[in-house]
Amino acid sequence: DGKAVRLIVGDQQTPLASSTLAILKAIARARKWRDQIIAGEASGIRDLARNHKLNHSYVKRIYSFASFSPASVEVILNGEVPPDLSLDSLVRKIPLIWSEQRTALATATGTQAQN
């Protein structure tokens, strides 16, 4: 029952790489979690982890994706990032300042050494 979702942007007919989809999923998930905290449905990261039955450290890592700017999401959707960009390469390198995110996207790749 292997099913896939394919996102086509513009006239481009190739599906987004699985790593790109993982990044976009992380952004969507983090924004949902942020909205839940704002709405008072969760009091913080630990509460989110408990509510969603997820590991606290995982929620903490992914939550940083809530700060992605609309322009950064567009850069990812347009494929203007290194081909080996991965969720793991971004997780600890997301600047909160939107103007610095494009540089972080351009320099974070899956082949860089992990800290």
Side-chain angles (χ1 to χ4, degrees), residues 12-35:
Q12 186 179 15
Q13 291 294 319
T14 58
L16 292 174
S18 62
S19 60
T20 301
L21 291 175
I23 293 166
L24 294 171
K25 180 179 177 181
I27 294 167
R29 184 175 254 189
R31 288 182 174 174
K32 177 182 176 184
W33 293 342
R34 181 192 58 203
D35 292 346

mmCIF file with all atom_site columns, all heavy atoms in Angstrom, residues 12-35:
data_model
loop_
_atom_site.group_PDB
_atom_site.id
_atom_site.type_symbol
_atom_site.label_atom_id
_atom_site.label_alt_id
_atom_site.label_comp_id
_atom_site.label_asym_id
_atom_site.label_entity_id
_atom_site.label_seq_id
_atom_site.pdbx_PDB_ins_code
_atom_site.Cartn_x
_atom_site.Cartn_y
_atom_site.Cartn_z
_atom_site.occupancy
_atom_site.B_iso_or_equiv
_atom_site.pdbx_formal_charge
_atom_site.auth_seq_id
_atom_site.auth_comp_id
_atom_site.auth_asym_id
_atom_site.auth_atom_id
_atom_site.pdbx_PDB_model_num
ATOM 1   N N   . GLN A 1 12 ? 7.333  22.521 -13.627 1.00 0.00 ? 12 GLN A N   1
ATOM 2   C CA  . GLN A 1 12 ? 8.269  21.455 -13.284 1.00 0.00 ? 12 GLN A CA  1
ATOM 3   C C   . GLN A 1 12 ? 7.502  20.160 -13.022 1.00 0.00 ? 12 GLN A C   1
ATOM 4   O O   . GLN A 1 12 ? 6.565  20.126 -12.256 1.00 0.00 ? 12 GLN A O   1
ATOM 5   C CB  . GLN A 1 12 ? 9.054  21.879 -12.039 1.00 0.00 ? 12 GLN A CB  1
ATOM 6   C CG  . GLN A 1 12 ? 10.146 20.945 -11.673 1.00 0.00 ? 12 GLN A CG  1
ATOM 7   C CD  . GLN A 1 12 ? 10.887 21.445 -10.439 1.00 0.00 ? 12 GLN A CD  1
ATOM 8   O OE1 . GLN A 1 12 ? 10.423 22.314 -9.744  1.00 0.00 ? 12 GLN A OE1 1
ATOM 9   N NE2 . GLN A 1 12 ? 12.047 20.882 -10.202 1.00 0.00 ? 12 GLN A NE2 1
ATOM 10  N N   . GLN A 1 13 ? 7.913  19.072 -13.642 1.00 0.00 ? 13 GLN A N   1
ATOM 11  C CA  . GLN A 1 13 ? 7.203  17.807 -13.531 1.00 0.00 ? 13 GLN A CA  1
ATOM 12  C C   . GLN A 1 13 ? 7.881  16.811 -12.599 1.00 0.00 ? 13 GLN A C   1
ATOM 13  O O   . GLN A 1 13 ? 7.405  15.709 -12.442 1.00 0.00 ? 13 GLN A O   1
ATOM 14  C CB  . GLN A 1 13 ? 7.032  17.179 -14.921 1.00 0.00 ? 13 GLN A CB  1
ATOM 15  C CG  . GLN A 1 13 ? 6.068  17.934 -15.800 1.00 0.00 ? 13 GLN A CG  1
ATOM 16  C CD  . GLN A 1 13 ? 4.638  17.875 -15.259 1.00 0.00 ? 13 GLN A CD  1
ATOM 17  O OE1 . GLN A 1 13 ? 4.181  16.850 -14.787 1.00 0.00 ? 13 GLN A OE1 1
ATOM 18  N NE2 . GLN A 1 13 ? 3.937  18.998 -15.322 1.00 0.00 ? 13 GLN A NE2 1
ATOM 19  N N   . THR A 1 14 ? 9.035  17.179 -12.008 1.00 0.00 ? 14 THR A N   1
ATOM 20  C CA  . THR A 1 14 ? 9.725  16.238 -11.131 1.00 0.00 ? 14 THR A CA  1
ATOM 21  C C   . THR A 1 14 ? 9.256  16.426 -9.698  1.00 0.00 ? 14 THR A C   1
ATOM 22  O O   . THR A 1 14 ? 9.071  17.543 -9.246  1.00 0.00 ? 14 THR A O   1
ATOM 23  C CB  . THR A 1 14 ? 11.253 16.444 -11.214 1.00 0.00 ? 14 THR A CB  1
ATOM 24  O OG1 . THR A 1 14 ? 11.561 17.782 -10.852 1.00 0.00 ? 14 THR A OG1 1
ATOM 25  C CG2 . THR A 1 14 ? 11.773 16.155 -12.605 1.00 0.00 ? 14 THR A CG2 1
ATOM 26  N N   . PRO A 1 15 ? 9.051  15.325 -8.985  1.00 0.00 ? 15 PRO A N   1
ATOM 27  C CA  . PRO A 1 15 ? 8.626  15.449 -7.595  1.00 0.00 ? 15 PRO A CA  1
ATOM 28  C C   . PRO A 1 15 ? 9.753  15.998 -6.729  1.00 0.00 ? 15 PRO A C   1
ATOM 29  O O   . PRO A 1 15 ? 10.925 15.829 -7.054  1.00 0.00 ? 15 PRO A O   1
ATOM 30  C CB  . PRO A 1 15 ? 8.292  14.009 -7.201  1.00 0.00 ? 15 PRO A CB  1
ATOM 31  C CG  . PRO A 1 15 ? 9.069  13.162 -8.137  1.00 0.00 ? 15 PRO A CG  1
ATOM 32  C CD  . PRO A 1 15 ? 9.206  13.949 -9.412  1.00 0.00 ? 15 PRO A CD  1
ATOM 33  N N   . LEU A 1 16 ? 9.388  16.668 -5.660  1.00 0.00 ? 16 LEU A N   1
ATOM 34  C CA  . LEU A 1 16 ? 10.392 17.166 -4.738  1.00 0.00 ? 16 LEU A CA  1
ATOM 35  C C   . LEU A 1 16 ? 11.108 15.995 -4.089  1.00 0.00 ? 16 LEU A C   1
ATOM 36  O O   . LEU A 1 16 ? 10.526 14.945 -3.856  1.00 0.00 ? 16 LEU A O   1
ATOM 37  C CB  . LEU A 1 16 ? 9.731  18.024 -3.656  1.00 0.00 ? 16 LEU A CB  1
ATOM 38  C CG  . LEU A 1 16 ? 9.127  19.350 -4.130  1.00 0.00 ? 16 LEU A CG  1
ATOM 39  C CD1 . LEU A 1 16 ? 8.378  20.018 -2.982  1.00 0.00 ? 16 LEU A CD1 1
ATOM 40  C CD2 . LEU A 1 16 ? 10.195 20.266 -4.669  1.00 0.00 ? 16 LEU A CD2 1
ATOM 41  N N   . ALA A 1 17 ? 12.375 16.174 -3.796  1.00 0.00 ? 17 ALA A N   1
ATOM 42  C CA  . ALA A 1 17 ? 13.155 15.130 -3.142  1.00 0.00 ? 17 ALA A CA  1
ATOM 43  C C   . ALA A 1 17 ? 12.560 14.815 -1.782  1.00 0.00 ? 17 ALA A C   1
ATOM 44  O O   . ALA A 1 17 ? 11.947 15.670 -1.144  1.00 0.00 ? 17 ALA A O   1
ATOM 45  C CB  . ALA A 1 17 ? 14.603 15.599 -3.000  1.00 0.00 ? 17 ALA A CB  1
ATOM 46  N N   . SER A 1 18 ? 12.730 13.595 -1.339  1.00 0.00 ? 18 SER A N   1
ATOM 47  C CA  . SER A 1 18 ? 12.166 13.198 -0.042  1.00 0.00 ? 18 SER A CA  1
ATOM 48  C C   . SER A 1 18 ? 12.723 14.040 1.095   1.00 0.00 ? 18 SER A C   1
ATOM 49  O O   . SER A 1 18 ? 12.016 14.323 2.055   1.00 0.00 ? 18 SER A O   1
ATOM 50  C CB  . SER A 1 18 ? 12.409 11.717 0.208   1.00 0.00 ? 18 SER A CB  1
ATOM 51  O OG  . SER A 1 18 ? 13.783 11.440 0.266   1.00 0.00 ? 18 SER A OG  1
ATOM 52  N N   . SER A 1 19 ? 13.981 14.481 0.995   1.00 0.00 ? 19 SER A N   1
ATOM 53  C CA  . SER A 1 19 ? 14.548 15.321 2.052   1.00 0.00 ? 19 SER A CA  1
ATOM 54  C C   . SER A 1 19 ? 13.856 16.684 2.076   1.00 0.00 ? 19 SER A C   1
ATOM 55  O O   . SER A 1 19 ? 13.614 17.242 3.140   1.00 0.00 ? 19 SER A O   1
ATOM 56  C CB  . SER A 1 19 ? 16.053 15.489 1.875   1.00 0.00 ? 19 SER A CB  1
ATOM 57  O OG  . SER A 1 19 ? 16.347 16.095 0.631   1.00 0.00 ? 19 SER A OG  1
ATOM 58  N N   . THR A 1 20 ? 13.506 17.212 0.910   1.00 0.00 ? 20 THR A N   1
ATOM 59  C CA  . THR A 1 20 ? 12.785 18.477 0.835   1.00 0.00 ? 20 THR A CA  1
ATOM 60  C C   . THR A 1 20 ? 11.392 18.329 1.430   1.00 0.00 ? 20 THR A C   1
ATOM 61  O O   . THR A 1 20 ? 10.927 19.201 2.178   1.00 0.00 ? 20 THR A O   1
ATOM 62  C CB  . THR A 1 20 ? 12.699 18.964 -0.625  1.00 0.00 ? 20 THR A CB  1
ATOM 63  O OG1 . THR A 1 20 ? 14.018 19.112 -1.138  1.00 0.00 ? 20 THR A OG1 1
ATOM 64  C CG2 . THR A 1 20 ? 11.976 20.300 -0.715  1.00 0.00 ? 20 THR A CG2 1
ATOM 65  N N   . LEU A 1 21 ? 10.745 17.233 1.138   1.00 0.00 ? 21 LEU A N   1
ATOM 66  C CA  . LEU A 1 21 ? 9.421  16.975 1.723   1.00 0.00 ? 21 LEU A CA  1
ATOM 67  C C   . LEU A 1 21 ? 9.505  16.852 3.236   1.00 0.00 ? 21 LEU A C   1
ATOM 68  O O   . LEU A 1 21 ? 8.619  17.326 3.954   1.00 0.00 ? 21 LEU A O   1
ATOM 69  C CB  . LEU A 1 21 ? 8.796  15.731 1.107   1.00 0.00 ? 21 LEU A CB  1
ATOM 70  C CG  . LEU A 1 21 ? 8.374  15.870 -0.356  1.00 0.00 ? 21 LEU A CG  1
ATOM 71  C CD1 . LEU A 1 21 ? 7.872  14.534 -0.884  1.00 0.00 ? 21 LEU A CD1 1
ATOM 72  C CD2 . LEU A 1 21 ? 7.322  16.934 -0.518  1.00 0.00 ? 21 LEU A CD2 1
ATOM 73  N N   . ALA A 1 22 ? 10.571 16.238 3.736   1.00 0.00 ? 22 ALA A N   1
ATOM 74  C CA  . ALA A 1 22 ? 10.756 16.112 5.189   1.00 0.00 ? 22 ALA A CA  1
ATOM 75  C C   . ALA A 1 22 ? 10.911 17.489 5.832   1.00 0.00 ? 22 ALA A C   1
ATOM 76  O O   . ALA A 1 22 ? 10.359 17.751 6.906   1.00 0.00 ? 22 ALA A O   1
ATOM 77  C CB  . ALA A 1 22 ? 11.967 15.239 5.490   1.00 0.00 ? 22 ALA A CB  1
ATOM 78  N N   . ILE A 1 23 ? 11.630 18.381 5.173   1.00 0.00 ? 23 ILE A N   1
ATOM 79  C CA  . ILE A 1 23 ? 11.811 19.742 5.682   1.00 0.00 ? 23 ILE A CA  1
ATOM 80  C C   . ILE A 1 23 ? 10.477 20.483 5.685   1.00 0.00 ? 23 ILE A C   1
ATOM 81  O O   . ILE A 1 23 ? 10.111 21.133 6.670   1.00 0.00 ? 23 ILE A O   1
ATOM 82  C CB  . ILE A 1 23 ? 12.872 20.505 4.852   1.00 0.00 ? 23 ILE A CB  1
ATOM 83  C CG1 . ILE A 1 23 ? 14.252 19.876 5.060   1.00 0.00 ? 23 ILE A CG1 1
ATOM 84  C CG2 . ILE A 1 23 ? 12.890 21.989 5.231   1.00 0.00 ? 23 ILE A CG2 1
ATOM 85  C CD1 . ILE A 1 23 ? 15.285 20.315 4.051   1.00 0.00 ? 23 ILE A CD1 1
ATOM 86  N N   . LEU A 1 24 ? 9.727  20.375 4.603   1.00 0.00 ? 24 LEU A N   1
ATOM 87  C CA  . LEU A 1 24 ? 8.424  21.053 4.524   1.00 0.00 ? 24 LEU A CA  1
ATOM 88  C C   . LEU A 1 24 ? 7.450  20.490 5.560   1.00 0.00 ? 24 LEU A C   1
ATOM 89  O O   . LEU A 1 24 ? 6.682  21.247 6.173   1.00 0.00 ? 24 LEU A O   1
ATOM 90  C CB  . LEU A 1 24 ? 7.856  20.938 3.114   1.00 0.00 ? 24 LEU A CB  1
ATOM 91  C CG  . LEU A 1 24 ? 8.654  21.675 2.035   1.00 0.00 ? 24 LEU A CG  1
ATOM 92  C CD1 . LEU A 1 24 ? 8.127  21.317 0.644   1.00 0.00 ? 24 LEU A CD1 1
ATOM 93  C CD2 . LEU A 1 24 ? 8.623  23.177 2.266   1.00 0.00 ? 24 LEU A CD2 1
ATOM 94  N N   . LYS A 1 25 ? 7.495  19.197 5.785   1.00 0.00 ? 25 LYS A N   1
ATOM 95  C CA  . LYS A 1 25 ? 6.644  18.579 6.805   1.00 0.00 ? 25 LYS A CA  1
ATOM 96  C C   . LYS A 1 25 ? 7.026  19.098 8.191   1.00 0.00 ? 25 LYS A C   1
ATOM 97  O O   . LYS A 1 25 ? 6.154  19.393 9.017   1.00 0.00 ? 25 LYS A O   1
ATOM 98  C CB  . LYS A 1 25 ? 6.777  17.060 6.752   1.00 0.00 ? 25 LYS A CB  1
ATOM 99  C CG  . LYS A 1 25 ? 5.919  16.343 7.768   1.00 0.00 ? 25 LYS A CG  1
ATOM 100 C CD  . LYS A 1 25 ? 6.073  14.843 7.658   1.00 0.00 ? 25 LYS A CD  1
ATOM 101 C CE  . LYS A 1 25 ? 5.274  14.132 8.735   1.00 0.00 ? 25 LYS A CE  1
ATOM 102 N NZ  . LYS A 1 25 ? 5.425  12.682 8.649   1.00 0.00 ? 25 LYS A NZ  1
ATOM 103 N N   . ALA A 1 26 ? 8.315  19.235 8.442   1.00 0.00 ? 26 ALA A N   1
ATOM 104 C CA  . ALA A 1 26 ? 8.785  19.750 9.728   1.00 0.00 ? 26 ALA A CA  1
ATOM 105 C C   . ALA A 1 26 ? 8.310  21.188 9.943   1.00 0.00 ? 26 ALA A C   1
ATOM 106 O O   . ALA A 1 26 ? 7.898  21.556 11.047  1.00 0.00 ? 26 ALA A O   1
ATOM 107 C CB  . ALA A 1 26 ? 10.306 19.678 9.816   1.00 0.00 ? 26 ALA A CB  1
ATOM 108 N N   . ILE A 1 27 ? 8.355  21.999 8.891   1.00 0.00 ? 27 ILE A N   1
ATOM 109 C CA  . ILE A 1 27 ? 7.891  23.390 8.989   1.00 0.00 ? 27 ILE A CA  1
ATOM 110 C C   . ILE A 1 27 ? 6.403  23.414 9.320   1.00 0.00 ? 27 ILE A C   1
ATOM 111 O O   . ILE A 1 27 ? 5.967  24.147 10.225  1.00 0.00 ? 27 ILE A O   1
ATOM 112 C CB  . ILE A 1 27 ? 8.191  24.164 7.686   1.00 0.00 ? 27 ILE A CB  1
ATOM 113 C CG1 . ILE A 1 27 ? 9.702  24.312 7.487   1.00 0.00 ? 27 ILE A CG1 1
ATOM 114 C CG2 . ILE A 1 27 ? 7.499  25.532 7.695   1.00 0.00 ? 27 ILE A CG2 1
ATOM 115 C CD1 . ILE A 1 27 ? 10.104 24.776 6.098   1.00 0.00 ? 27 ILE A CD1 1
ATOM 116 N N   . ALA A 1 28 ? 5.618  22.623 8.612   1.00 0.00 ? 28 ALA A N   1
ATOM 117 C CA  . ALA A 1 28 ? 4.167  22.588 8.852   1.00 0.00 ? 28 ALA A CA  1
ATOM 118 C C   . ALA A 1 28 ? 3.860  22.102 10.265  1.00 0.00 ? 28 ALA A C   1
ATOM 119 O O   . ALA A 1 28 ? 3.015  22.678 10.966  1.00 0.00 ? 28 ALA A O   1
ATOM 120 C CB  . ALA A 1 28 ? 3.485  21.696 7.815   1.00 0.00 ? 28 ALA A CB  1
ATOM 121 N N   . ARG A 1 29 ? 4.540  21.060 10.680  1.00 0.00 ? 29 ARG A N   1
ATOM 122 C CA  . ARG A 1 29 ? 4.318  20.501 12.018  1.00 0.00 ? 29 ARG A CA  1
ATOM 123 C C   . ARG A 1 29 ? 4.696  21.519 13.099  1.00 0.00 ? 29 ARG A C   1
ATOM 124 O O   . ARG A 1 29 ? 3.950  21.725 14.058  1.00 0.00 ? 29 ARG A O   1
ATOM 125 C CB  . ARG A 1 29 ? 5.155  19.224 12.156  1.00 0.00 ? 29 ARG A CB  1
ATOM 126 C CG  . ARG A 1 29 ? 4.950  18.487 13.432  1.00 0.00 ? 29 ARG A CG  1
ATOM 127 C CD  . ARG A 1 29 ? 5.724  17.187 13.408  1.00 0.00 ? 29 ARG A CD  1
ATOM 128 N NE  . ARG A 1 29 ? 4.767  16.107 13.223  1.00 0.00 ? 29 ARG A NE  1
ATOM 129 C CZ  . ARG A 1 29 ? 5.059  14.830 13.317  1.00 0.00 ? 29 ARG A CZ  1
ATOM 130 N NH1 . ARG A 1 29 ? 6.298  14.441 13.532  1.00 0.00 ? 29 ARG A NH1 1
ATOM 131 N NH2 . ARG A 1 29 ? 4.137  13.925 13.182  1.00 0.00 ? 29 ARG A NH2 1
ATOM 132 N N   . ALA A 1 30 ? 5.835  22.167 12.940  1.00 0.00 ? 30 ALA A N   1
ATOM 133 C CA  . ALA A 1 30 ? 6.293  23.145 13.927  1.00 0.00 ? 30 ALA A CA  1
ATOM 134 C C   . ALA A 1 30 ? 5.338  24.335 14.022  1.00 0.00 ? 30 ALA A C   1
ATOM 135 O O   . ALA A 1 30 ? 5.064  24.844 15.108  1.00 0.00 ? 30 ALA A O   1
ATOM 136 C CB  . ALA A 1 30 ? 7.704  23.621 13.579  1.00 0.00 ? 30 ALA A CB  1
ATOM 137 N N   . ARG A 1 31 ? 4.835  24.770 12.888  1.00 0.00 ? 31 ARG A N   1
ATOM 138 C CA  . ARG A 1 31 ? 3.879  25.890 12.904  1.00 0.00 ? 31 ARG A CA  1
ATOM 139 C C   . ARG A 1 31 ? 2.575  25.496 13.584  1.00 0.00 ? 31 ARG A C   1
ATOM 140 O O   . ARG A 1 31 ? 1.973  26.291 14.298  1.00 0.00 ? 31 ARG A O   1
ATOM 141 C CB  . ARG A 1 31 ? 3.630  26.394 11.491  1.00 0.00 ? 31 ARG A CB  1
ATOM 142 C CG  . ARG A 1 31 ? 4.831  27.153 10.958  1.00 0.00 ? 31 ARG A CG  1
ATOM 143 C CD  . ARG A 1 31 ? 4.584  27.701 9.598   1.00 0.00 ? 31 ARG A CD  1
ATOM 144 N NE  . ARG A 1 31 ? 5.716  28.525 9.195   1.00 0.00 ? 31 ARG A NE  1
ATOM 145 C CZ  . ARG A 1 31 ? 5.845  29.054 8.003   1.00 0.00 ? 31 ARG A CZ  1
ATOM 146 N NH1 . ARG A 1 31 ? 4.905  28.853 7.093   1.00 0.00 ? 31 ARG A NH1 1
ATOM 147 N NH2 . ARG A 1 31 ? 6.901  29.779 7.708   1.00 0.00 ? 31 ARG A NH2 1
ATOM 148 N N   . LYS A 1 32 ? 2.153  24.259 13.385  1.00 0.00 ? 32 LYS A N   1
ATOM 149 C CA  . LYS A 1 32 ? 0.951  23.772 14.066  1.00 0.00 ? 32 LYS A CA  1
ATOM 150 C C   . LYS A 1 32 ? 1.188  23.753 15.570  1.00 0.00 ? 32 LYS A C   1
ATOM 151 O O   . LYS A 1 32 ? 0.336  24.179 16.348  1.00 0.00 ? 32 LYS A O   1
ATOM 152 C CB  . LYS A 1 32 ? 0.591  22.372 13.563  1.00 0.00 ? 32 LYS A CB  1
ATOM 153 C CG  . LYS A 1 32 ? -0.603 21.761 14.258  1.00 0.00 ? 32 LYS A CG  1
ATOM 154 C CD  . LYS A 1 32 ? -0.889 20.363 13.754  1.00 0.00 ? 32 LYS A CD  1
ATOM 155 C CE  . LYS A 1 32 ? -2.023 19.729 14.532  1.00 0.00 ? 32 LYS A CE  1
ATOM 156 N NZ  . LYS A 1 32 ? -2.240 18.348 14.119  1.00 0.00 ? 32 LYS A NZ  1
ATOM 157 N N   . TRP A 1 33 ? 2.348  23.262 15.981  1.00 0.00 ? 33 TRP A N   1
ATOM 158 C CA  . TRP A 1 33 ? 2.675  23.223 17.403  1.00 0.00 ? 33 TRP A CA  1
ATOM 159 C C   . TRP A 1 33 ? 2.727  24.620 17.999  1.00 0.00 ? 33 TRP A C   1
ATOM 160 O O   . TRP A 1 33 ? 2.245  24.852 19.102  1.00 0.00 ? 33 TRP A O   1
ATOM 161 C CB  . TRP A 1 33 ? 3.999  22.509 17.619  1.00 0.00 ? 33 TRP A CB  1
ATOM 162 C CG  . TRP A 1 33 ? 3.978  21.047 17.293  1.00 0.00 ? 33 TRP A CG  1
ATOM 163 C CD1 . TRP A 1 33 ? 2.874  20.239 17.155  1.00 0.00 ? 33 TRP A CD1 1
ATOM 164 C CD2 . TRP A 1 33 ? 5.097  20.221 17.053  1.00 0.00 ? 33 TRP A CD2 1
ATOM 165 N NE1 . TRP A 1 33 ? 3.259  18.970 16.849  1.00 0.00 ? 33 TRP A NE1 1
ATOM 166 C CE2 . TRP A 1 33 ? 4.620  18.909 16.786  1.00 0.00 ? 33 TRP A CE2 1
ATOM 167 C CE3 . TRP A 1 33 ? 6.470  20.435 17.035  1.00 0.00 ? 33 TRP A CE3 1
ATOM 168 C CZ2 . TRP A 1 33 ? 5.455  17.844 16.515  1.00 0.00 ? 33 TRP A CZ2 1
ATOM 169 C CZ3 . TRP A 1 33 ? 7.312  19.381 16.764  1.00 0.00 ? 33 TRP A CZ3 1
ATOM 170 C CH2 . TRP A 1 33 ? 6.811  18.098 16.511  1.00 0.00 ? 33 TRP A CH2 1
ATOM 171 N N   . ARG A 1 34 ? 3.339  25.563 17.262  1.00 0.00 ? 34 ARG A N   1
ATOM 172 C CA  . ARG A 1 34 ? 3.401  26.951 17.746  1.00 0.00 ? 34 ARG A CA  1
ATOM 173 C C   . ARG A 1 34 ? 1.995  27.503 17.938  1.00 0.00 ? 34 ARG A C   1
ATOM 174 O O   . ARG A 1 34 ? 1.692  28.143 18.944  1.00 0.00 ? 34 ARG A O   1
ATOM 175 C CB  . ARG A 1 34 ? 4.193  27.822 16.768  1.00 0.00 ? 34 ARG A CB  1
ATOM 176 C CG  . ARG A 1 34 ? 4.307  29.281 17.226  1.00 0.00 ? 34 ARG A CG  1
ATOM 177 C CD  . ARG A 1 34 ? 4.828  30.190 16.142  1.00 0.00 ? 34 ARG A CD  1
ATOM 178 N NE  . ARG A 1 34 ? 3.931  30.095 14.985  1.00 0.00 ? 34 ARG A NE  1
ATOM 179 C CZ  . ARG A 1 34 ? 4.286  30.382 13.749  1.00 0.00 ? 34 ARG A CZ  1
ATOM 180 N NH1 . ARG A 1 34 ? 5.513  30.766 13.479  1.00 0.00 ? 34 ARG A NH1 1
ATOM 181 N NH2 . ARG A 1 34 ? 3.426  30.284 12.771  1.00 0.00 ? 34 ARG A NH2 1
ATOM 182 N N   . ASP A 1 35 ? 1.121  27.236 16.978  1.00 0.00 ? 35 ASP A N   1
ATOM 183 C CA  . ASP A 1 35 ? -0.272 27.693 17.079  1.00 0.00 ? 35 ASP A CA  1
ATOM 184 C C   . ASP A 1 35 ? -0.967 27.077 18.286  1.00 0.00 ? 35 ASP A C   1
ATOM 185 O O   . ASP A 1 35 ? -1.779 27.723 18.941  1.00 0.00 ? 35 ASP A O   1
ATOM 186 C CB  . ASP A 1 35 ? -1.041 27.372 15.796  1.00 0.00 ? 35 ASP A CB  1
ATOM 187 C CG  . ASP A 1 35 ? -0.573 28.191 14.600  1.00 0.00 ? 35 ASP A CG  1
ATOM 188 O OD1 . ASP A 1 35 ? 0.164  29.193 14.794  1.00 0.00 ? 35 ASP A OD1 1
ATOM 189 O OD2 . ASP A 1 35 ? -0.933 27.818 13.464  1.00 0.00 ? 35 ASP A OD2 1
#
